[in-house]
């Protein structure tokens, strides 16, 4: 009798930390934990809550996976591993445990590996093949940073219907790949973050007899696991590994929208670059040195709606999407003579470089100088603009970053004074990053980061959206995000929505409240993101962009 009691106690202690008794109607998970070179004490409970909150899984946690037997695995349908013994690489599990796990999978059970769970049991080939990806001699990673998870296989049951998404996580480079797994998703690893400047695989699956394996390299820590994309993949991958099917609904934030961007190509000319979709302009960027101020026009949705207006008769110096100071040391750099097209102050485009890739991304770098005619430079600017590729729904964004350096003893950046100031005007306050919209848009409204509309001129906000309709009555929008590190953040906005003229213009004006004075050698940094979107405004999409942009 005593030996049966002892055997029972051994089995019981193998599963200390157990969840409540699994429901027979739910998918029963055995979650391996208890050792990891990451914070398993936080990530294991978090994953358990993700599974159980889905209402289709029940979870039992074991911190002694090396004691597993065929008998102890019998109640479960899928194993999820959050376990490794790094830096110990070789397997210390018994032959009984190894045989039990292989039998479990080959007979139809599922097995899941999360982040570094594959970095274990290197001397057990079948384990490594199921894990698909582990830490090898040439594997590395940079800092935890934002990147986009892109689905390379959009027809698999796990990924079907899911849109690409952004996350902030640890991205492995040169993972050690074992076996012949199916790759479902990738992410770009830039040189600037210890990467390969290539796409790196992050999501794998495979079949083993009647069973299935799923490996997710995302999920470095609890914060990374809070990403909705990670959680959705974890849940869908676990269900697929159990049954080969996925029944869960996709969160609306991650649903693929109609595939608008289908056939992208580039048109490159001496002083302009154009992205085309099915031979139709998505955006065109102009950087002619004779014009001085680079600008985007037309800026369109991927289905062809022109959003911007160039040199309208009321303000022929408005250049669609562009940057211009108003006054520098008292000289006007904004307005231009209607006959000569020249401003009092000179904005000189000294150099331009651009690079593109086949996915539809582009990057521009400029060196710009500001000075009176035929005089020495007062101010220089180094500008970088990065334009994303259109997503499946046709939306895209551009990140605009500038560093200004004062060369004169004192550089005063100023604007037309406000009504309550001496010689003030009702239109005072503008200067900086600006958007002038197409006059043929209608039903235009401004919405700030508190989802408020109405009289927003001169009010501070982290971002501002112009929601409008095109001539077909379809909703479109442009959003500008003002970076938290910008001077005066959250800045006051110059807002103009005049449907009689019409005159649609907006700008996060860094000079709205007061002029900026730079002493020689001092610098000013400004960062903005501009989003282009078709369809009704989605505050979740804007919030996700904001979270990614501000970091």
């Amino acid at each position: 009798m005593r030996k049966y009691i002892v055997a029972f106690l051994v089995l019981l202690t193998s599963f200390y930390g157990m969840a409540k008794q699994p429901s027979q109607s739910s998918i029963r998970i055995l979650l391996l934990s208890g050792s990891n070179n990451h914070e398993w004490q936080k990530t294991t409970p978090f994953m358990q809550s993700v599974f159980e909150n889905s209402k289709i899984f029940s979870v039992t946690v074991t911190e002694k996976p090396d004691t597993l037997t065929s008998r102890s695995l019998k109640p479960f349908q899928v194993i999820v591993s959050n376990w490794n013994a790094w830096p110990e690489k070789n397997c210390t599990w018994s032959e009984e445990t190894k045989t039990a796990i292989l039998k479990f999978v080959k007979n139809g059970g599922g097995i899941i590996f999360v982040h570094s769970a594959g970095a274990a049991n290197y001397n057990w080939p079948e384990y490594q093949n199921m894990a698909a990806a582990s830490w090898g001699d040439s594997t590395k990673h940079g800092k935890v940073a934002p990147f986009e998870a892109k689905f390379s296989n959009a027809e698999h049951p796990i990924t079907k219907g899911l849109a690409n998404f952004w996350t902030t996580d640890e991205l492995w480079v040169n993972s050690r790949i074992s076996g012949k797994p199916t790759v479902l998703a990738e992410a770009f690893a830039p040189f600037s973050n210890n990467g390969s400047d290539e796409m790196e695989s992050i999501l794998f699956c495979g079949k083993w007899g009647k069973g299935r394996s799923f490996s997710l390299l995302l999920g470095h820590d609890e914060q990374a696991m809070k990403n909705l994309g990670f959680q959705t993949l974890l849940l869908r991958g676990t269900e697929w590994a159990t049954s080969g099917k996925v029944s869960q609904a996709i969160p609306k934030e991650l649903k693929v929208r109609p595939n608008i961007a289908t056939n992208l190509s580039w048109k490159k000319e001496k002083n302009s670059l154009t992205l085309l979709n099915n031979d139709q302009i998505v955006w065109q960027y102009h950087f002619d040195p004779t014009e001085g101020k680079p600008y985007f026009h037309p800026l369109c949705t991927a289905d062809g709606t022109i959003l911007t207006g160039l040199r309208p008769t009321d303000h022929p110096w408005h250049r669609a999407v562009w940057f211009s100071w108003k006054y520098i040391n008292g000289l006007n750099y904004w307005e231009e003579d209607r006959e000569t097209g020249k401003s009092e102050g000179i904005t000189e485009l000294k150099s331009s470089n651009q690079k593109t890739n086949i996915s539809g991304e582009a990057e521009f770098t400029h060196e710009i100088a500001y000075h009176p005619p035929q005089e020495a430079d007062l101010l220089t600017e180094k500008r970088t603009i990065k334009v994303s590729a259109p997503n499946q729904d046709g939306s895209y964004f551009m990140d605009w970053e500038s560093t200004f350096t004062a060369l004169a003893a004192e550089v005063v950046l100023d604007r037309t004074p406000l009504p309550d100031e001496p010689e003030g005007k009702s239109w005072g306050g503008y200067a900086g990053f600006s958007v002038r919209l197409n006059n043929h848009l209608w039903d235009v409204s401004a919405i700030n980061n508190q989802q408020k509309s109405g009289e927003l001129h001169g009010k501070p906000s982290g971002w501002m959206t112009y929601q409008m309709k095109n001539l077909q009555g379809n909703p479109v929008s442009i959003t500008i995000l003002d970076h938290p590190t910008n001077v005066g953040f959250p800045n006051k906005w110059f807002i103009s929505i005049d449907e009689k003229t019409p005159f649609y213009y907006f700008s996060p004006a860094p000079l709205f409240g007061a002029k900026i004075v730079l002493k020689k050698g001092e610098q000013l940094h400004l960062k903005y993101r501009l989003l282009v979107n078709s369809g009704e405004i989605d505050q979740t999409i804007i919030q996700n962009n904001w979270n990614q942009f501000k970091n």
Side-chain angles (χ1 to χ4, degrees):
M1 181 69 177
R2 180 180 297 174
K3 67 178 181 180
Y4 294 114
I5 294 173
V6 171
F8 173 75
L9 291 175
V10 169
L11 180 64
L12 182 63
T13 56
S14 297
F15 295 97
Y16 69 88
M18 286 177 61
K20 60 184 179 181
Q21 186 66 26
S23 166
Q24 295 301 312
S25 62
S26 59
I27 296 173
R28 297 180 298 281
I29 295 174
L30 178 61
L31 179 53
L32 311 187
S33 188
S35 176
N36 201 311
N37 61 320
H38 297 69
E39 292 184 322
W40 61 268
Q41 297 90 341
K42 293 182 179 180
T43 56
T44 292
F46 186 84
M47 280 196 289
Q48 182 175 358
S49 67
V50 170
F51 282 123
E52 293 180 342
N53 289 339
S54 73
K55 308 300 183 184
I56 70 167
F57 298 100
S58 58
V59 181
T60 298
V61 178
T62 177
E63 294 181 4
K64 292 186 175 294
D66 56 325
T67 65
L68 294 174
T69 65
S70 291
R71 183 178 178 183
S72 62
L73 285 174
K74 191 173 182 180
F76 303 102
Q77 295 164 276
V78 60
I79 298 169
V80 177
S81 180
N82 191 37
W83 184 96
N84 72 43
W86 189 269
E88 175 61 48
K89 299 175 71 174
N90 289 333
C91 180
T92 57
W93 295 358
S94 68
E95 290 299 319
E96 182 183 15
T97 294
K98 290 161 63 176
T99 300
I101 290 175
L102 286 178
K103 182 179 178 181
F104 173 83
V105 177
K106 290 182 178 180
N107 286 345
I111 187 164
I112 314 298
F113 301 86
V114 178
H115 194 56
S116 60
N121 299 329
Y122 282 71
N123 61 340
W124 180 10
E126 292 89 350
Y127 182 94
Q128 285 290 295
N129 288 343
M130 288 188 295
S134 61
W135 190 269
D137 292 338
S138 63
T139 308
K140 61 181 181 177
H141 64 73
K143 296 179 180 179
V144 171
F147 58 85
E148 185 179 20
K150 296 186 176 183
F151 295 113
S152 52
N153 185 333
E155 295 302 317
H156 192 276
I158 296 173
T159 58
K160 190 174 181 64
L162 278 172
N164 298 338
F165 65 91
W166 281 85
T167 186
T168 299
D169 208 329
E170 181 182 85
L171 178 57
W172 286 15
V173 176
N174 299 328
S175 300
R176 179 179 181 267
I177 307 300
S178 301
K180 297 181 180 180
T182 299
V183 177
L184 300 181
E186 301 173 310
F188 183 73
F191 274 139
S192 59
N193 192 28
N194 199 32
S196 59
D197 237 26
E198 296 179 354
M199 300 299 288
E200 298 289 340
S201 300
I202 58 174
L203 193 67
F204 310 84
C205 68
K207 294 185 178 180
W208 305 94
K210 296 179 181 179
R212 287 159 292 275
S213 65
F214 175 69
S215 182
L216 176 60
L217 289 185
L218 303 179
H220 170 68
D221 54 20
E222 183 183 9
Q223 189 63 34
M225 289 183 176
K226 291 179 180 179
N227 182 275
L228 183 59
F230 169 86
Q231 295 180 29
T232 301
L233 288 174
L234 180 66
L235 294 173
R236 291 174 69 84
T238 303
E239 184 180 5
W240 174 82
T242 305
S243 65
K245 299 179 181 179
V246 178
S247 64
Q248 300 167 73
I250 296 173
K252 68 176 184 177
E253 296 91 342
L254 294 175
K255 284 184 178 180
V256 170
R257 299 186 181 184
N259 193 350
I260 297 174
T262 58
N263 186 18
L264 299 175
S265 61
W266 294 106
K267 180 181 179 182
K268 299 180 180 181
E269 297 181 294
K270 181 180 179 181
N271 295 317
S272 69
L273 178 69
T274 306
L275 177 64
L276 301 169
N277 177 34
N278 297 315
D279 296 324
Q280 185 171 257
I281 294 177
V282 178
W283 55 259
Q284 187 170 67
Y285 186 57
H286 304 264
F287 40 89
D288 187 345
T290 63
E291 291 193 272
K293 302 171 187 175
Y295 61 91
F296 283 88
H297 180 80
L299 189 73
C300 308
T301 60
D303 59 359
T305 298
I306 298 175
L307 301 174
T308 51
L310 178 66
R311 300 187 182 279
T313 55
D314 52 23
H315 294 77
W317 42 86
H318 283 189
R319 302 188 185 185
V321 178
W322 85 110
F323 187 101
S324 179
W325 292 114
K326 179 60 187 285
Y327 295 112
I328 303 179
N329 289 2
L331 210 59
N332 192 327
Y333 286 71
W334 179 278
E335 283 140 5
E336 300 167 354
D337 186 283
R338 289 179 179 268
E339 295 183 5
T340 66
K342 301 295 183 180
S343 299
E344 292 178 353
I346 304 298
T347 301
E348 181 182 357
L349 180 58
K350 290 196 168 185
S351 69
S352 297
N353 291 286
Q354 56 278 335
K355 58 182 181 180
T356 61
N357 62 31
I358 59 174
S359 69
E361 297 173 326
E363 180 175 337
F364 305 91
T365 55
H366 298 302
E367 291 187 356
I368 301 171
Y370 302 84
H371 58 83
Q374 300 178 345
E375 291 187 22
D377 297 342
L378 300 175
L379 183 73
T380 60
E381 175 187 2
K382 290 186 176 181
R383 180 183 302 175
T384 300
I385 304 171
K386 297 180 180 180
V387 189
S388 76
N391 291 324
Q392 294 99 328
D393 63 349
S395 64
Y396 60 95
F397 64 85
M398 65 174 66
D399 285 345
W400 191 300
E401 182 171 355
S402 293
T403 299
F404 300 88
T405 304
L407 302 184
E410 184 178 81
V411 176
V412 180
L413 305 173
D414 208 349
R415 78 287 194 255
T416 300
L418 302 178
D420 59 349
E421 298 173 334
E423 300 183 12
K425 306 293 182 183
S426 61
W427 60 83
Y430 60 86
F433 185 61
S434 301
V435 175
R436 176 65 189 261
L437 296 173
N438 184 350
N439 289 347
H440 296 294
L441 298 168
W442 59 285
D443 197 18
V444 180
S445 61
I447 305 169
N448 68 7
N449 63 341
Q450 297 177 350
Q451 300 187 41
K452 294 182 179 180
S453 57
E455 184 49 59
L456 299 178
H457 178 73
K459 302 293 178 61
S461 182
W463 70 74
M464 193 74 65
T465 296
Y466 265 39
Q467 177 79 60
M468 47 259 175
K469 293 179 180 177
N470 62 17
L471 291 178
Q472 289 75 44
N474 300 318
V476 294
S477 67
I478 289 183
T479 302
I480 299 176
L481 284 67
D482 183 21
H483 199 274
T485 61
N486 287 346
V487 60
F489 178 86
N491 276 285
K492 297 179 179 180
W493 291 69
F494 193 102
I495 301 293
S496 177
I497 301 177
D498 184 349
E499 295 184 345
K500 294 180 180 180
T501 310
F503 182 13
Y504 307 129
Y505 166 91
F506 69 129
S507 169
L511 302 178
F512 197 101
K515 62 186 178 183
I516 296 174
V517 179
L518 301 176
K519 300 298 183 181
K520 186 174 183 178
E522 289 184 341
Q523 292 186 325
L524 171 67
H525 303 276
L526 296 175
K527 298 180 183 179
Y528 303 99
R529 172 170 287 188
L530 184 148
L531 309 174
V532 173
N533 191 55
S534 299
E536 293 290 346
I537 185 173
D538 189 328
Q539 290 289 341
T540 301
I541 291 176
I542 298 176
Q543 184 65 52
N544 288 342
N545 267 275
W546 170 254
N547 292 339
Q548 190 269 327
F549 177 58
K550 71 179 181 179
N551 291 322

